Amino acid sequence: ETVNKMASSYKLLLLLLVVGYQVSECSGSYVAASVQRKSLPRNANEKAWDWQMRNFLQYQLYAEKAKSLNAQIINYPEFALGLDPEKGADFGQVLPTAGGSVNYCTAGNVSSPLLKATSCLAQNVSMDVCINMVETVPATSQQQEQLYNTEICLSSNGTLLAKYRKSHPFYSHVFNTPKPYDVVSFMSSFGVRMGVFTCYDIAWGHPANDLTAMGITHFPYSVAIDAGVGPDLYKTWSRIHNATIMVSNDDPNGNDGGVFTRGERVPATTLTVTSDQNGQVVVTTVTA
């Protein structure tokens, strides 16, 4: 009987330790920033790269405002750098494989000027930064040139944490569909593993279901959805998957964006960038 009591006490202690570990592991938080903006109108005869960089300069303003509220990660909307769907190839840049310790801000011979600029931005504000862009995969003897709607996430020290090619492109006549589809996650600089998918992907089972099946429940999420359509969708998806999505929409009034957790929009602080068509950055403290 004494042995049984000791065994029961040991099991209870072990259970308490496990529960205590789980609670402590999940009791942290981080600060996320979700940008809500449209791309600036394109000037007559403006080259694609010049238009993109003019928009990227605005990105820095949002990051600086988010940093003033101690944000640790910032996410930007789909197509917010500018895109002409009929001339998608003009906007593409070649990207390296994600991972590794290369700081693309200081590295030489970087294939993508936009990657280099984003790396420098992440390093300068000491935040993880996720942007949406067009990726070019050059033609080979086996295949034609490929274009992808791609999300990249850079760490606060300028390395490329993740590269995700959208599985279900809306402009299917412009962008290729990756085969097999990407299942991409990354460990953030603040220790939370995050999964990546983009806009229209949310309507499909993959890759989101693959990621949640892996236990990943935090997602930076770039979208270009008509105002008013998104919030009910985000609430429903986050409730079904018991997950958190950080929504950045190309809706400058900010009503569709922010963080949605387990069926609810999380209270946030909204800062306006008046010089950029009154775009907004929504800053939220998120339970990890």
Side-chain angles (χ1 to χ4, degrees), residues 25 56 71 82 89 153 163 181 189 206 210 225 262 270 280 282:
E25 186 183 39
F56 188 84
C153 294
K163 179 178 73 171
Y181 56 79
S189 297
H206 303 286
D210 304 270
I225 295 178
R262 300 171 181 86
T270 300
Q280 297 182 339
V282 181

Side-chain angles (χ1 to χ4, degrees), residues 11-28:
K11 289 179 181 177
L12 178 59
L13 176 60
L14 183 61
L15 178 61
L16 289 172
L17 288 173
V18 171
V19 171
Y21 172 75
Q22 290 176 337
V23 170
S24 63
E25 186 183 39
C26 299
S27 61

